[in-house]
Amino acid sequence: KKRRSTGNLLFERHGDVEVAASRPTPRLPYKMFDGTRDVLAFTDSWGKNKFYEISFPKPDFIPTFSRVRIYGHNLGTPVFKIRKRGKWLTPEPKKTSTEKYMVEYDFGEDLRTVKLRIEFQKSKLELYEIELHK
């Protein structure tokens, strides 16, 4: 019940998204959006340009969100980008919260995009869950 009640707009929506990443994602996309915040869904240990992209190709599911939570290990300070009118934009978070295995960006305003990208700098990256919230 707790896993299902987080308010994550992406929860169990793996059929409504397309994923691209810096290395192949054989376990995805269903593991990244299942509400389990401590199970490996993606890893990139040694790549130089580590990223994870989520596209929303269906016009009936383009989420509007104001916060993003990224769960994983060795997250560092991820760079969060959205695609608008053919260009990557980097919205500035109004508030950032960090825990040992989580980074949350609160943008203080609603964002809507057909594609988002998260870039990472640290080696031995592990991702467990990505959540979008109102």
Side-chain angles (χ1 to χ4, degrees), residues 29-30 53 66 81 114:
Y30 75 93
E53 285 183 8
S66 63
K81 298 181 177 186
V114 295

Side-chain angles (χ1 to χ4, degrees), residues 35-89:
T36 308
R37 297 171 171 171
D38 60 354
V39 174
L40 182 65
F42 172 77
T43 184
D44 189 343
S45 296
W46 307 109
K48 291 184 180 183
N49 299 311
K50 290 179 264 318
F51 69 90
Y52 196 86
E53 285 183 8
I54 304 170
S55 300
F56 308 101
K58 296 181 178 181
D60 62 335
F61 180 66
I62 301 173
T64 300
F65 59 96
S66 63
R67 294 179 294 133
V68 61
R69 285 188 195 143
I70 306 162
Y71 290 86
H73 176 67
N74 254 359
L75 297 174
T77 306
V79 177
F80 183 81
K81 298 181 177 186
I82 61 172
R83 190 88 171 163
K84 285 286 189 184
R85 295 178 182 89
K87 295 182 181 180
W88 286 109
L89 304 176

Side-chain angles (χ1 to χ4, degrees), residues 30 86 88 94 117-119:
Y30 75 93
W88 286 109
K94 303 290 185 237
R117 179 181 175 101
I118 307 167
E119 298 174 348

Side-chain angles (χ1 to χ4, degrees), residues 69-72 75-76 97-104:
R69 285 188 195 143
I70 306 162
Y71 290 86
L75 297 174
S97 302
T98 58
E99 295 176 7
K100 186 172 182 179
Y101 298 106
M102 189 273 297
V103 174
E104 178 182 70

Side-chain angles (χ1 to χ4, degrees), residues 76-133:
T77 306
V79 177
F80 183 81
K81 298 181 177 186
I82 61 172
R83 190 88 171 163
K84 285 286 189 184
R85 295 178 182 89
K87 295 182 181 180
W88 286 109
L89 304 176
T90 307
E92 188 68 33
K94 303 290 185 237
K95 181 179 176 186
T96 301
S97 302
T98 58
E99 295 176 7
K100 186 172 182 179
Y101 298 106
M102 189 273 297
V103 174
E104 178 182 70
Y105 295 135
D106 184 343
F107 298 102
E109 64 182 339
D110 286 345
L111 301 175
R112 185 173 163 94
T113 184
V114 295
K115 185 183 275 193
L116 60 88
R117 179 181 175 101
I118 307 167
E119 298 174 348
F120 303 90
Q121 294 79 38
K122 293 188 95 176
S123 63
K124 299 184 181 179
L125 169 69
E126 293 180 0
L127 291 179
Y128 307 147
E129 187 87 0
I130 295 173
E131 298 179 349
L132 300 180
H133 294 271

